[in-house]
Each structure stands twice: as structure tokens, then as C-alpha cells.
Amino acid sequence: MTEQTFVLPDVGEGLTEAEIVQWRVAPGDTVAVNDVIVEIETAKSLVELPSPYSGTVGELLASEGSTVEVGAPIITIGSTDAAASAPAAPVSVPEPSDPGGAVLVGYGTGGAVSSRRRKPAERPVKASVGVVAKPPIRKLARDLGVDLSAVTPSGPAGEVTRDDVVKHAEQASVFRNIETPAWGAVREETIPVAAPAAPAPTASAPASDAREESIPVRGVRKATANAMTSSAYSAPHVSVWVDVDASRTMELVKRLKASPDFADVKISPLLIMARAVIWALRRTPMINAAWVDTEDGAQISVRHYVNLGIAAATPRGLLVPNIKDAQSMNTRELAKALETLTLTAREGKTSPADQTGGTFTITNIGVFGVDAGTPIINPGEAGIIALGAIRQKPWVVDGEVRPRWVTTVSGSFDHRVVDGDGISRFIADVASVLEEPALLLD
């Protein structure tokens, strides 16, 4: 019998290590070429690796939850057929830094490696017997941890639609902390997010009396921590904010929702915010620039296009996918792109290429009921802007106090790239559009 050793490949993300999340095979199992054998987590994606060999699984050389370097052996596969055990043809996987390029990965045939979100086993979902919903909708509900029996259907035949599930998940996310929980039995604890299963209790650390818990920092959390630390301590941040009467933005959102041209697209104030940001970036291009350190000294790279990043809180952690060339899109195209970006991120299907090359970022903290903040700039960019909660508040209009829809726009900027006047002009431009969306007509 010929024994082949499969090493952890470079999955085209330019990374040096990955975590073994879940083995899909066990010693003694029979596998064919392209059968999924393991799920790994890199700093950006969950990836299913297919087998490059056919035969019988010998030994699993890396345990679940362990971090393995690229090139290290992870599994052996034995075969009595020399031809069948030959490595499959390499697959080209897009390189994140160059969406049009590719690198040779050296495994799989006839298709690219798939990326998906880890199934949240810690959130059991009821069977939802008697609920009318198509299989893809049921899968989406399982992935989001939504009980279909608690969802109000809006389909013409009484079925639960994708929008119903997504809306229910969003509401659950926003309102999950309204009830005040009782004090726990211990003084302090750390709640893991998609962390590996805890090891069996030992005599030195009894599970029933644990006062503290240590969680390994891996994957997205590790990448986010490194990026935010680097940004916070290398770029001098300056933060500004302004209160805005967004009543006319809310009126425009209402009209767009009622328009037949936008009947199949989700419309929210974030769409108007995105249009405002693109408009304001055109008027102050240095906000769309970046500080670059080179061998010949520091340079400022000004981008004449907008790859608009949208910070997304996902079950795997914070991701910042971006909409490529957003400056070329009309309102409907931008709305569709925002909807696709949001659903893809929530379902864990954001590709590494979609998370690279951003030029400016929006974070919508208003969905969590937060008014303002001082966000950290995404590495490789010169600014980030936050849209706060939009609430009805007393506002002075023509000398009279009236109820208006008010929000706060806040942002952080790299003071090496942009001076105070440019920062102030940009924030004022965004605020002006939210106050009067008709400015976009120019």
C-alpha cells in the first residue's frame, strides 16, 4: 500500500497558519479525490479542504483546535492503486491582493475551495414542524440560529421568506440584551465566541469551580487584534462628530421602499449614508488616501476610486468586506451591493478578496442603539465613519422646537494624511447630504 501525506496548503490568502476546526473523516474511512476531509479557519475565512488523493485515511496528524503552519503534514491517506493516489491537478484560487490573479494551491480538481461559516452548534434550533419554508430558507435559519416557528411569514402562500428570517435575526441581535440577566454564581467569566470545545477538566482546574477561563486567540479574532493594534499605535487618530437632522433622509428611505423600482431591494438609511460618503469623498479626495511607508520614504497614496468597506459583526467576529468601485454605482446598484454584502457576511461566505483593497469604511453602530463612537481606522485607509442610531428628538427649526429624526455622524481619521480642515469639511459634507439628500442630484 502506498501512503500519501497531505500537508496544509496555502489557500491563496498569503497566510502562514490556520486552525483545524473540524475533521470530516476518521482513520479507516475511504475517501475519493475532492471529498472534503477537514474544515480549517484562517484569519479571514472558514475553508473546506478537499482530498487530493483517493484511498483509506491513515492518521490524523493534527488535532481539532490546534494551529498548524502552512506546509506541515496534517493527514495520511493510503492507497493500493498508484494511479488513483497520484496528486490531483492544482486549483487556481484568487489571490486577495489581486482579484484577477491566482496562485497554485496544489490540491483538488475541477473547482475552487469553498468557504462557509461554521455551524453554531451552541445555538440549537427547533425543528419548526408545520412551518412553510423552502430548504434554502431553513438552512439560512439554522445558520443564523433562528427558530422558524417564531418568525412571522410574509410570503404570498404563507411561507417564510429570506427577508423574514433576516429581519427576525436582526431584531434578535438588537434586542437580545434588553432583559437584565441575574448575577452569575462566579464573580468573573469570559464568554467565548465560536471557540473550540473546552478540554476535559483536570484536578488542577475543576470545571465546577472555575473562576476564570482562558480562550486562545485565533483566526479572525487574532487578525482583528493585530490589525487594530497596528492601526491604533501607528496612525495618529483624530475623531470628530456632529449631530444631524436626518428627517429628510428618513422620508427618502420611506419613498424608496414604496417605489416599484426598489421593490426587490432592501432599503435602509445606510444606503443614503453610503451615497453621502461617496459624494463627500469626491469633494475631499485626501480622505480616500492612505499613508504608505516605502524603502524610499513615506508616501501618500490617493485613490481615485472607492472600494467602500462596511464593518460587519458576524458570528466569526468583525469582518470588513468592501464594495468594489462603489463610486460607479447608481442608487439601486449600490442598494443591491449592500444587501448582497450583508447577507454574504452574515452567512459566513465572504471571500478573502472581498475583504482586501478597501479605501474607506462605514460602521453602522446605530443598529445596536449606539449614538456615536471613536472607531479605529481599518489598516490601509485614512478614515472610518460611524452612523449612529436615528431617533426622534426635539430640534429647533425656524425658531421652534419640533420633533425630528436626529442622528450623530462620527469618525476617526489619520492625521498624517488629512488635516483638520479636510476632516471637518468631509464630516460636514456627509451631514449635509443626510440633512438634504437632494444634494446628490448634482
Side-chain angles (χ1 to χ4, degrees):
M1 175 179 288
T2 302
E3 187 174 77
Q4 304 284 350
T5 299
F6 180 33
V7 301
L8 181 68
D10 176 359
V11 295
E13 299 180 1
L15 301 175
T16 60
E17 64 183 21
E19 177 189 342
I20 303 296
V21 175
Q22 181 182 11
W23 283 106
R24 301 290 187 83
V25 295
D29 288 352
T30 300
V31 296
V33 172
N34 272 344
D35 283 353
V36 175
I37 56 175
V38 65
E39 182 181 285
I40 65 171
E41 182 174 21
T42 70
K44 294 182 178 178
S45 304
L46 280 171
V47 178
E48 295 174 332
L49 294 185
S51 173
Y53 312 111
S54 62
T56 303
V57 175
E59 185 180 359
L60 305 183
L61 303 176
S63 60
E64 292 182 355
S66 64
T67 299
V68 181
E69 293 185 357
V70 170
I74 59 174
I75 188 174
T76 61
I77 299 176
S79 174
T80 56
D81 184 347
S85 64
V91 172
S92 293
V93 178
E95 174 65 35
S97 60
D98 179 11
V103 295
L104 293 180
V105 179
Y107 62 88
T109 60
V113 177
S114 62
S115 173
R116 67 173 185 83
R117 175 191 154 200
R118 181 185 305 174
K119 296 179 180 178
E122 73 278 9
R123 295 185 298 174
V125 180
K126 299 178 182 178
S128 305
V129 177
V131 175
V132 180
K134 295 179 180 179
I137 305 304
R138 291 184 179 276
K139 181 182 183 303
L140 175 61
R142 288 196 301 271
D143 289 345
L144 297 181
V146 170
D147 178 7
L148 282 177
S149 64
V151 178
T152 302
S154 66
E159 74 276 14
V160 175
T161 67
R162 173 181 289 270
D163 286 344
D164 296 335
V165 174
V166 171
K167 181 178 180 181
H168 187 91
E170 290 176 343
Q171 291 175 340
S173 174
V174 172
F175 295 111
R176 65 184 180 275
N177 291 325
I178 283 182
E179 294 183 4
T180 303
W183 287 105
V186 296
R187 290 174 59 85
E188 184 175 332
E189 67 174 340
T190 303
I191 309 244
V193 179
T202 63
S204 60
S208 60
D209 192 33
R211 289 169 61 87
E212 296 183 2
E213 179 180 0
S214 297
I215 301 170
V217 179
R218 301 188 179 107
V220 172
R221 176 54 54 196
K222 181 178 180 180
T224 300
N226 290 339
M228 293 298 98
T229 300
S230 175
S231 176
Y233 290 100
S234 62
H237 284 51
V238 58
S239 298
V240 295
W241 53 89
V242 62
D243 291 337
V244 181
D245 178 0
S247 300
R248 288 180 178 170
T249 284
M250 299 303 286
E251 292 172 3
L252 177 57
V253 168
K254 184 177 180 179
R255 289 199 300 271
L256 291 178
K257 286 182 177 181
S259 170
D261 293 336
F262 291 85
D264 61 339
V265 183
K266 182 178 179 180
I267 304 297
S268 73
L270 179 61
L271 170 62
I272 312 304
M273 178 69 163
R275 289 293 312 275
V277 165
I278 295 169
W279 183 79
L281 288 176
R282 189 171 74 242
R283 289 163 56 86
T284 311
M286 293 302 292
I287 300 291
N288 201 42
W291 182 277
V292 181
D293 290 309
T294 70
E295 294 181 355
D296 298 327
Q299 299 177 354
I300 295 177
S301 173
V302 182
R303 283 75 65 99
H304 301 292
Y305 59 91
V306 180
N307 289 349
L308 187 63
I310 305 295
T314 76
R316 294 184 56 239
L318 177 66
L319 300 180
V320 189
N322 60 79
I323 299 171
K324 300 294 192 289
D325 289 315
Q327 81 286 348
S328 300
M329 297 181 177
N330 60 32
T331 301
R332 176 180 168 77
E333 291 169 340
L334 186 59
K336 198 66 178 176
L338 283 169
E339 182 179 37
T340 300
L341 177 147
T342 302
L343 289 175
T344 302
R346 187 178 290 118
E347 294 174 3
K349 297 179 180 178
T350 303
S351 69
D354 288 338
Q355 299 177 59
T356 59
T359 65
F360 189 84
T361 296
I362 299 174
T363 176
N364 186 11
I365 60 177
V367 296
F368 303 109
V370 176
D371 293 327
T374 55
I376 296 178
I377 303 167
N378 204 31
E381 301 174 12
I384 180 172
I385 197 166
L387 176 64
I390 302 177
R391 314 176 193 273
Q392 278 204 317
K393 294 182 179 180
W395 193 263
V396 178
V397 180
D398 297 330
E400 297 181 359
V401 177
R402 302 177 185 175
R404 304 289 285 180
W405 291 102
V406 177
T407 188
T408 300
V409 174
S410 54
S412 297
F413 303 88
D414 187 341
H415 218 330
R416 298 173 301 177
V417 178
V418 195
D419 294 331
D421 60 336
I423 293 169
S424 301
R425 183 165 55 248
F426 173 77
I427 287 289
D429 279 347
V430 172
S432 295
V433 173
L434 294 180
E435 290 181 346
E436 183 47 83
L439 288 173
L440 295 173
L441 296 176
D442 71 351

